[in-house]
Amino acid sequence: MKRRDFINKAGVGAIAAGGVLVAPSVVHAKAQFKWKMVTSWPKNFPGLGVGANQLAQMINEMSGGRIKVKVYGANELVPAFEVFDAVSKGTAQMGHSGAYYWKGKNEATQFFSSVPFGLTAQEMNAWLYYGGGMGLWRELYEPFNLIPAAAGNSGVQMAGWFNREIKTVDDLKGLKMRIPGLGGEVLRRAGGTTVNMPGGELFTSLQSGALDATEWVGPYNDLAFGFYKVAKYYYYPGWHEPGSTMEAMINKPAFNALPADLQSIVLAACKAANMDMLSDYMAKNNQALDTLVNKHGVKLMPLPDDVLRKLKQLSEEVVLEVANKDPLAKKIYTSFNQFRAQVSNWSTLSEQAFLKARALV
Ligand code: CA
């Protein structure tokens, strides 16, 4: 707000603010593009909603007010799961969401949020920016009039909140769980019943018993939703979402109407937002975990290896089936899988070996 006041004052001819001469370009800066950004998150929600706000603010500031992006929380302009259509049709110029919500448009969208047993945040960014992923994502969204960009990452998520212990694969049978994307299909094949619903509905569904379990994100976000009040066990690791990319999607005609410098600014802001959200999660997750365990008495549990092994085996099947749906999905799968195989070699002897070394006592 201060900055806006400053620009407005500058616009009516003030030449100095705090004794500093105002550059002519600032004096003449006026918003030429008013954009709406619809999101799939509750307004101002920690991590996700804050990430969308940060992205909008960066675009506003980096463009000197030439683009003004206004952020709408889920249901303010459109519901959480209508973000894709709203931006595709131009109802909003921009959206902030997760690509796996759009598997009804094309199953291959799921490769651009997270794949079970897929890539970590660092590996995902490497695939997108330097491994061919970004070009494939653009190709996938092209028929929908959308330009995608990575605009946030949660890092490794948690497996979720359960109202009963998971000791063997059999404990997954009959489990009613909210788990979106490919992970949901994997759990279904393991005998569970899976549903997807927006984050805002999860607490009451767990409380009423409509759900036995839910995954959401990780400690930082899960503490904010208060799941510890309605589910006893908190399981890790997030096998289904090892590094989920959040997306910014931009309506193509709106993007094309921008001069080249503003187009660059929008894409650079997305890249900055992508890094910023990951840092926010990394900084806050452990603080929140400490509160959950030590203040609220949450039972933190690892999923047993046998359960993870079974989920991994089912994941490979499910992902391959998605790949066989159409030629573009196959192309994306092949690129993703080849990248995963290559990067795994390096990650094993860099990140994994180092983390093991650091934990030695
Ligand atoms: Ca999740």
Side-chain angles (χ1 to χ4, degrees):
M1 287 311 287
K2 274 188 180 164
R3 181 177 177 90
R4 194 172 302 153
D5 289 342
F6 171 76
I7 289 168
N8 287 342
K9 278 177 199 154
V12 295
I15 53 159
V20 179
L21 282 178
V22 175
S25 62
V26 175
V27 172
H28 297 297
K30 278 185 177 174
Q32 294 168 338
F33 301 93
K34 283 194 194 317
W35 278 17
K36 295 182 179 109
M37 184 199 285
V38 289
T39 72
S40 298
W41 329 117
K43 182 95 186 209
N44 303 327
F45 194 75
L48 306 169
V50 168
N53 294 347
Q54 298 270 51
L55 173 57
Q57 194 187 335
M58 274 192 283
I59 295 172
N60 295 349
E61 290 188 0
M62 288 162 79
S63 70
R66 288 157 69 203
I67 309 177
K68 289 205 167 161
V69 183
K70 185 172 183 212
V71 180
Y72 294 85
N75 294 323
E76 282 193 318
L77 195 63
V78 297
F81 295 152
E82 286 176 25
V83 165
F84 189 97
D85 283 339
V87 183
S88 176
K89 287 176 198 151
T91 308
Q93 290 73 26
M94 214 170 167
H96 193 275
S97 189
Y100 54 15
Y101 291 143
W102 322 124
K103 67 173 187 174
K105 304 291 179 189
N106 187 315
E107 295 260 358
T109 60
Q110 299 171 103
F111 284 101
F112 299 99
S113 50
S114 212
V115 171
F117 300 93
L119 301 174
T120 65
Q122 201 161 316
E123 293 167 347
M124 185 70 183
N125 288 329
W127 178 56
L128 289 173
Y129 296 138
Y130 289 99
M134 207 57 242
L136 291 166
W137 198 359
R138 289 216 174 108
E139 190 177 341
L140 182 66
Y141 276 26
E142 171 76 36
F144 303 100
N145 233 9
L146 292 170
I147 296 167
N153 198 300
S154 65
V156 182
Q157 300 200 358
M158 288 291 282
W161 297 85
F162 294 71
N163 64 13
R164 63 188 198 223
E165 273 190 74
I166 304 299
K167 291 179 179 160
T168 70
V169 175
D170 282 346
D171 293 323
L172 300 174
K173 295 199 170 113
L175 189 83
K176 285 178 288 175
M177 181 167 182
R178 181 271 186 188
I179 170 170
L182 295 164
E185 179 55 23
V186 171
L187 188 76
R188 200 185 62 74
R189 289 188 196 195
T193 303
T194 64
V195 293
N196 190 17
M197 57 175 78
E201 296 169 24
L202 297 176
F203 184 91
T204 47
S205 300
L206 265 180
Q207 195 174 35
S208 72
L211 287 177
D212 299 318
T214 188
E215 71 80 54
W216 177 233
V217 183
Y220 176 31
N221 280 166
D222 296 3
L223 174 64
F225 266 154
F227 295 137
Y228 62 89
K229 294 173 198 159
V230 286
K232 200 169 169 188
Y233 305 101
Y234 197 21
Y235 274 94
Y236 64 92
W239 57 274
H240 62 305
E241 296 195 58
S244 292
T245 295
M246 306 307 146
E247 65 179 358
M249 56 180 97
I250 306 153
N251 175 268
K252 205 171 168 193
F255 186 79
N256 289 342
L258 297 176
D261 62 331
L262 291 184
Q263 291 182 340
S264 270
I265 282 170
V266 169
L267 296 179
C270 289
K271 223 167 184 177
N274 193 27
M275 189 277 288
D276 191 72
M277 189 190 290
L278 183 61
S279 308
D280 189 26
Y281 274 108
M282 197 69 184
K284 310 255 174 69
N285 267 335
N286 198 59
Q287 270 170 264
L289 188 66
D290 184 65
T291 305
L292 285 168
V293 173
N294 295 316
K295 189 174 167 201
H296 301 303
V298 163
K299 286 196 181 173
L300 201 56
M301 314 271 277
L303 282 173
D305 284 355
D306 281 350
V307 171
L308 287 170
R309 217 169 267 123
K310 180 69 183 173
L311 293 169
K312 188 178 172 202
Q313 178 207 325
L314 291 169
S315 295
E316 302 292 333
E317 271 176 42
V318 166
V319 175
L320 181 62
E321 281 174 32
V322 168
N324 288 330
K325 297 243 162 137
D326 71 62
L328 180 55
K330 185 77 174 199
K331 197 159 84 166
I332 294 167
Y333 167 85
T334 304
S335 168
F336 186 96
N337 248 23
Q338 282 176 353
F339 193 86
R340 184 179 66 163
Q342 288 163 13
V343 86
S344 289
N345 279 335
W346 173 240
S347 290
T348 301
L349 63 94
S350 55
E351 304 284 324
Q352 192 176 322
F354 169 71
L355 292 175
K356 192 178 160 216
R358 195 172 64 179
L360 290 173
V361 284

